[in-house]
Amino acid sequence: MPHTHHLFHRGAGFALALLIAAPMTATTASAAPAAPVGVEACAQQNGVYVVVTGEETTATPAPTIGVCVTAPSSGTDALNSAGVSITRDSTGMICALNNYPNPCPATFDGKYWQYYQASATDAENGTWTYATTGSDDSQPQAGWVEGWCYGEQCTPVLPSVDTTATPTTTAASGPFWTIVALGVIVVVLVIAAIVVVRRRRR
């Protein structure tokens, strides 16, 4: 019987340690990574929201991207900070963003990357102002939006689905309940072992 008593306390103690550690593990796993911000949040943080809208054709669709950047020194710097690749033609003009179009047009066909600026509110309302200077020389205003679109006549379009909204924190239920289940299994096994030992000693 002393052996059985000792076995019970060891198993119970191990199961209790698992159950105590489970909430700590769940708390650590539930920490969500920092997320990009949307247009309004970007403006509130005095950032500059960069929007790039490709030509909307069924043959070669180009998705709209929206990224908040901090204190860009120019429109070109804003594109670079947003992770947008820039391709220039032989004259130094921007002919492609994010490799669109690919290749750059060899001759002008009326379509080009058009550069706009707007306040956050105007951008959300679809009101844009054509930039009066090139992106190399422009000075983006904090809280405003830098917009680009490709076509003959176009205006930038904000992402239809705001994937940059702050996400809600999701509890990491998987690791928590896995550890709880392991603790329960250990307790059951200990109890079963005690029953077997007692029956053998009768």
Side-chain angles (χ1 to χ4, degrees):
M1 291 300 294
H3 175 72
T4 303
H5 185 73
H6 180 64
L7 177 63
F8 173 78
H9 278 285
R10 286 183 62 186
F14 179 67
L16 180 61
L18 284 175
L19 293 174
I20 293 175
M24 295 176 62
T25 303
T27 301
T28 302
S30 64
V37 296
V39 177
E40 293 183 1
C42 185
Q44 292 172 1
Q45 297 175 14
N46 290 324
V48 174
Y49 198 79
V50 180
V51 176
V52 178
T53 306
E55 183 180 15
E56 295 187 9
T57 65
T58 56
T60 55
T64 295
I65 65 168
V67 180
C68 184
V69 301
T70 304
S73 59
S74 66
T76 301
D77 183 42
L79 287 173
N80 289 326
S81 298
V84 178
S85 63
I86 301 173
T87 305
R88 298 178 184 267
D89 60 19
S90 59
T91 66
M93 298 291 293
I94 293 177
C95 61
L97 295 178
N98 279 345
N99 296 319
Y100 185 88
N102 186 21
C104 285
T107 58
F108 182 67
D109 59 359
K111 299 177 182 179
Y112 64 103
W113 278 103
Q114 302 177 36
Y115 178 34
Y116 292 84
Q117 296 167 324
S119 65
T121 300
D122 285 344
E124 290 182 326
N125 292 332
T127 303
W128 298 86
T129 301
Y130 197 86
T132 57
T133 59
S135 62
D136 291 343
D137 301 318
S138 66
Q139 296 181 341
Q141 299 183 51
W144 277 52
V145 182
E146 296 273 292
W148 294 81
C149 66
Y150 187 82
E152 294 182 5
Q153 293 182 344
C154 65
T155 53
V157 179
L158 297 179
S160 56
V161 178
D162 190 6
T163 57
T164 61
T166 302
T168 55
T169 302
T170 302
S173 57
F176 174 77
W177 289 111
T178 299
I179 295 176
V180 171
L182 288 174
V184 172
I185 291 172
V186 170
V187 172
V188 171
L189 291 175
V190 170
I191 294 174
I194 293 173
V195 172
V196 171
V197 171
R198 284 182 176 179
R199 286 182 178 178
R200 287 181 178 178
R201 294 197 173 201
R202 286 180 181 178

